[in-house]
Amino acid sequence: MSRKTQALAALCAGVMIAATGCGGSGDSGGGDSTITWWHNSNNEPGKGFYEQVAKDFEKANPGVDVKVEAFAHEDMLTKLDAAFQSGDVPDVYMERGGGELADHVEAGLTRDLSKDSADIIEQIGGSAAGWQVDGKTYALPFSMGVVGFWYNTELFEKAGITETPTTMPELYAAFDKLEKAGITPVSLGGGDLWPAAHYYYAAALRGCSQETLTSAVADLDFSDPCFEKAGETVEQIVAERPFNKGFLSTASQTGPTSASGLLATGKVAMELAGHWEPGVMQGITEDKQGLGDKTGWFPFPAVDGGEGDPTAQLGGGDAWAVSEEAPDKAVDLVNYLLSDDVQKGFAENDMGLPTVPAAGSSVKDPALAELLKVRDEAPFVQLYFDTAFGESVGGAMNDEIGLLFAGKATPEDVVTATQEAADKEK
Amino acid sequence: MSSEHMLGAVASGRPHRTTPPPSAPPRTTSPRSTPWRQRAEIAFFVTPALALMALFIAWPVLSAVRFSVYDWNGLGPLDDFVGFANYADVLKDDVFTDAVIHNLVIVVGSIIVQLPLGVALALLLNRRMAGQGLLRTLIFVPYVLAEVIAGVIWFQLLQPDYGLIDAIMGGIGLTPPDEGWLGTPEVTLWVVLAVLTWKYLGLAVLLFLAGLQSVPEELYEAAQLDGASWFQTQWRVSIPLLGPTIRTWCFLSMIGSIQCFDMIWVLTGGGPADATTTMATYLVDEGTNRHNYGIAGAASVVLFAIAFVMALAYQLVVLRRDTKEEA
């Protein structure tokens, strides 16, 4: 066999293995004693922690074999997408809730946990709302965070800002002070659209009453004028020109020139982002410290005349779900994952913001501990709109918000585009 | 039938041989048919390739057409038939019609920039001169680079403030656009076009150089004898004879531009403000990001139709001359 034919043969064999591999993966979830579990903690300490969790569960449940697969976050989402389409879903997997989950429930892919996990659902309380469809709970959130401005305390000091802004005029004043000090106030990863969209969500949260938001999620009705007003708030922020150069094309989280990178390296003073931000910044900086002890956080300021509670928060989280086809033992595993012990370990390893009250005090990172307090004191946490409304409506909304940031759409356009996409879903 | 055999049979009147000579194969059926054995062999060797093509090309293509008439989010059965509603949505969507325009800008822009540049460079590089090999390599390297890698490199180079391009421009006293090359909707499509030119000029030059090899040396000698200058020789001899190569290159460039995806996905993702969306980025975004598989299917069929019509028109109007000349 020549080299070439050898290579060709290897390629053919590869194609065949790949083809059969796709078909074969379904078998692993079929047996009653084997549970497949996909998660996205693919670096330490999370990966090792979850391996230990699986071992402990196997020990407590003789005869059960937990097959753990750890992916990078984006890889996991891609794989899950394919799994949902083929109907061959892993037994235990991550759900982000909202419209996405509703689609999975409608397609009969996700198991109703309302009865089997009733105790845990009660403990979690209001945070579980994002994973409920028609009054039934389909996944158990294990980490919930909120969105706000992460800022560089040193740069704020340098610019003479002594107190974090609580109203829009105060926010604009802070922009001015920073600019006068020669500091770019805010970084924005507009290339990814969702970071820009979070401004609109936050503005709507401050402008709309909880009732309006809840009914918008349920009925996909955006006729309340507060949705257009949210667009006007965003327009005002954009008009202040606080953002980094080229913010429309800036990436959100990849590398030192991304929005998170600019904040982490002290090039800008603040960024609107979720609870993941300290972790992302640690990943970008060489010393793995991110902003370190210069990390500050404040919530999105109140909007003048807004009907929203200024202590309500925008947020989201990750939840464990069980596939419809999974063996009953998978439910036990999910319940175990939400037990006090596992949640405490999760918090101690700074893997996120735990949802079970008993684990709250175990969060070590001071910035995250502060955030946990904000979250727990919030009267309600609104799930990110794009997740809450589902990809189709959320995507149309984000696109139009992107245009709003570019000055190519009006606040009215945002509402119209969202409503049009929503009407197709009804 | 051998001539010897025929002559023998007629002239000498000997009885016919019962078997034909070994040199003459039996010609009982039409000359085109091949024995079943050979056909079986062909079928045997071709089937795996056909099966792979059916699985990875025909099936996905047919699926896209099927999805295009359903409202489908990728989950569960395909049961919400909507007829041509997805097509209507796609054609009514400003983002898609803009995408078609962007594709056409790239088609026309690529041809009017790369064609004269490519021909000029090919003519220059066809002369013997110092550093020729180096120049050829420099022009050809971008084409060999994977498009995704080239995109990532340019993405970094074009970053505002920290990127090399802005640094160089600042150094020579020029001001880059306020919001950066990739963040200014009015500018970004032209930036993409420039990067695509950088990437694909090498292919044009390579093809034209190959085309120039086929120009007979005698023609140049004759031109020289007639006292033609170098410029006159190129204009009257080289370029006309390069015609078929140019027309083929235009065709390749056109098809490539219509399907333009990788570079844009990496550089801009179709942004800012949809300023660089192409039909391909539109359909990928609708499909994988928004889970509107019906819309994505319809967009892909429209993309196919536009590419098909353009290719057919080009074939009929332009390439026809070449095939006629050869025939």
Side-chain angles (χ1 to χ4, degrees):
Chain A
M1 239 189 203
S2 76
R3 271 248 171 102
K4 242 185 199 166
T5 47
Q6 263 177 355
L8 196 68
L11 188 74
C12 290
V15 169
M16 282 171 188
I17 290 166
T20 52
C22 295
S25 63
D27 307 336
S28 51
D32 256 15
S33 55
T34 311
I35 302 169
T36 49
W37 170 26
W38 288 8
H39 67 73
N40 64 345
S41 297
N42 70 331
N43 44 18
E44 299 303 337
K47 195 176 173 201
F49 174 69
Y50 274 158
E51 266 161 27
Q52 190 55 48
V53 166
K55 271 187 205 139
D56 292 347
F57 182 77
E58 282 170 351
K59 216 169 163 191
N61 295 271
V64 175
D65 180 21
V66 182
K67 273 184 68 185
V68 191
E69 291 206 53
F71 299 96
H73 183 72
E74 291 296 325
D75 291 348
M76 184 187 73
L77 295 185
T78 314
K79 283 230 169 194
L80 272 177
D81 253 358
F84 287 127
Q85 284 175 23
S86 64
D88 185 19
V89 189
D91 299 324
V92 174
Y93 67 95
M94 209 181 92
E95 275 284 0
R96 293 182 297 178
E100 220 172 288
L101 171 70
D103 286 344
H104 299 157
V105 169
E106 202 194 325
L109 295 165
T110 307
R111 182 161 167 157
D112 174 12
L113 299 174
S114 313
K115 281 204 189 97
D116 297 329
S117 309
D119 296 349
I120 292 167
I121 295 165
E122 207 185 307
Q123 271 189 55
I124 296 170
S127 296
W131 289 266
Q132 286 164 344
V133 181
D134 297 331
K136 292 174 188 161
T137 307
Y138 287 88
L140 310 176
F142 58 91
S143 179
M144 277 285 284
V146 293
V147 168
F149 281 101
W150 292 94
Y151 71 97
N152 184 327
T153 51
E154 204 177 83
L155 292 182
F156 265 45
E157 232 168 80
K158 214 172 126 191
I161 303 166
T162 45
E163 275 182 33
T164 52
T166 55
T167 64
M168 293 316 280
E170 282 176 33
L171 182 70
Y172 301 151
F175 290 168
D176 286 345
K177 280 186 182 167
L178 286 162
E179 248 162 42
K180 279 202 187 102
I183 301 161
T184 306
V186 191
S187 66
L188 172 64
D192 288 337
L193 290 179
W194 60 262
H198 276 187
Y199 277 85
Y200 179 84
Y201 307 166
L205 179 74
R206 294 282 176 262
C208 302
S209 69
Q210 179 176 351
E211 215 184 353
T212 309
L213 292 176
T214 323
S215 68
V217 173
D219 312 329
L220 293 178
D221 172 20
F222 302 92
S223 56
D224 194 293
C226 70
F227 287 106
E228 202 173 314
K229 263 197 80 186
E232 284 161 18
T233 308
V234 170
E235 254 186 342
Q236 272 171 11
I237 298 174
V238 177
E240 293 284 325
R241 304 178 62 87
F243 301 116
N244 59 302
K245 235 184 180 185
F247 64 90
L248 288 178
S249 65
T250 304
S252 56
Q253 304 179 339
T254 41
T257 56
S258 66
S260 299
L262 294 175
L263 181 65
T265 54
K267 299 257 172 27
V268 301
M270 59 181 127
E271 187 198 355
L272 184 69
H275 57 288
W276 57 79
E277 191 63 9
V280 170
M281 288 195 290
Q282 284 156 17
I284 291 172
T285 45
E286 257 170 47
D287 57 5
K288 301 288 167 211
Q289 295 297 308
L291 274 183
D293 50 11
K294 288 181 289 183
T295 315
W297 189 91
F298 65 92
F300 195 86
V303 172
D304 261 359
E307 290 164 35
D309 186 329
T311 57
Q313 302 298 339
L314 176 72
D318 303 324
W320 295 125
V322 176
S323 83
E324 190 63 60
E325 309 278 301
D328 291 341
K329 278 283 175 195
V331 180
D332 296 344
L333 173 62
V334 164
N335 285 341
Y336 177 60
L337 292 179
L338 268 291
S339 66
D340 291 357
D341 286 348
V342 175
Q343 278 264 292
K344 273 181 193 162
F346 176 81
E348 278 162 12
N349 286 302
D350 283 330
M351 291 163 71
L353 296 179
T355 49
V356 171
S361 54
S362 302
V363 176
K364 280 190 301 189
D365 187 291
L368 289 179
E370 193 195 328
L371 212 58
L372 190 70
K373 240 178 79 190
V374 173
R375 183 197 78 191
D376 289 343
E377 282 165 9
F380 89 109
V381 176
Q382 169 61 51
L383 193 60
Y384 317 119
F385 286 178
D386 49 359
T387 311
F389 300 141
E391 283 114 340
S392 186
V393 181
M397 187 179 220
N398 288 1
D399 268 4
E400 211 65 22
I401 296 169
L403 293 178
L404 181 68
F405 271 82
K408 307 257 175 203
T410 63
E412 199 191 339
D413 292 340
V414 175
V415 177
T416 315
T418 310
Q419 191 66 59
E420 268 175 17
D423 289 343
K424 273 186 215 154
E425 290 285 288
K426 283 179 186 170
Chain B
M1 238 181 231
S2 73
S3 52
E4 177 220 23
H5 170 67
M6 211 155 67
L7 278 175
V10 175
S12 67
R14 278 184 289 164
H16 288 283
R17 287 192 202 174
T18 49
T19 49
S23 60
R27 278 188 180 167
T28 45
T29 51
S30 82
R32 275 195 204 148
S33 77
T34 28
W36 68 269
R37 242 192 105 102
Q38 213 173 333
R39 284 195 201 180
E41 259 172 32
I42 293 172
F44 179 78
F45 285 113
V46 162
T47 306
L50 278 181
L52 284 176
M53 274 182 70
L55 184 64
F56 291 109
I57 297 174
W59 172 248
V61 167
L62 290 175
S63 299
V65 176
R66 203 159 68 103
F67 295 160
S68 73
V69 288
Y70 287 90
D71 181 16
W72 191 51
N73 65 0
L75 303 172
L78 211 57
D79 52 10
D80 192 358
F81 184 81
V82 293
F84 289 102
N86 288 330
Y87 288 89
D89 282 349
V90 165
L91 296 174
K92 264 192 300 187
D93 189 348
D94 291 343
V95 179
F96 186 78
T97 41
D98 281 354
V100 176
I101 294 170
H102 299 151
N103 273 116
L104 293 179
V105 167
I106 295 171
V107 167
V108 175
S110 297
I111 289 176
I112 61 174
V113 177
Q114 288 178 40
L115 181 58
L117 260 180
V119 170
L121 280 167
L123 291 176
L124 282 175
L125 288 174
N126 203 32
R127 303 171 87 184
R128 282 200 187 82
M129 58 181 199
Q132 193 183 39
L134 182 72
L135 250 164
R136 282 190 188 193
T137 314
L138 278 180
I139 291 169
F140 197 59
V141 157
Y143 178 68
V144 186
L145 265 184
E147 198 156 329
V148 173
I149 294 170
V152 171
I153 294 172
W154 277 101
F155 181 81
Q156 294 302 338
L157 291 178
L158 290 165
Q159 285 302 303
D161 292 336
Y162 318 104
L164 192 65
I165 304 284
D166 276 16
I168 292 173
M169 287 190 69
I172 53 175
L174 295 169
T175 15
D178 257 2
E179 288 304 332
W181 294 103
L182 299 176
T184 314
E186 293 75 23
V187 176
T188 309
L189 185 61
W190 305 109
V191 174
V192 169
L193 194 59
V195 175
L196 285 172
T197 304
W198 166 85
K199 178 87 174 63
Y200 287 100
L201 187 61
L203 176 70
V205 172
L206 184 88
L207 281 176
F208 297 158
L209 271 174
L212 286 175
Q213 304 305 312
S214 65
V215 178
E217 199 61 35
E218 304 92 80
L219 290 181
Y220 288 123
E221 283 164 16
Q224 219 167 16
L225 284 178
D226 289 340
S229 70
W230 181 80
F231 185 78
Q232 279 172 324
T233 316
Q234 306 309 323
W235 189 249
R236 307 259 164 172
V237 179
S238 302
I239 292 179
L241 285 171
L242 210 49
T245 315
I246 289 176
R247 288 189 284 275
T248 309
W249 170 80
C250 280
F251 185 73
L252 293 176
S253 172
M254 198 175 82
I255 296 300
S257 302
I258 280 286
Q259 298 177 340
C260 190
F261 174 77
D262 313 31
M263 184 65 83
I264 291 186
W265 198 248
V266 177
L267 264 186
T268 69
D274 299 324
T276 58
T277 327
T278 61
M279 289 184 274
T281 66
Y282 176 91
L283 77 90
V284 169
D285 189 47
E286 283 290 338
T288 57
N289 292 348
R290 301 250 204 115
H291 293 198
N292 292 333
Y293 288 94
I295 299 276
S300 71
V301 172
V302 174
L303 166 59
F304 172 78
I306 292 176
F308 185 74
V309 168
M310 284 180 71
L312 199 70
Y314 194 83
Q315 191 80 35
L316 287 176
V317 178
V318 182
L319 286 183
R320 198 180 194 173
R321 320 174 29 167
D322 296 326
T323 39
K324 255 191 187 163
E325 272 168 22
E326 274 167 33

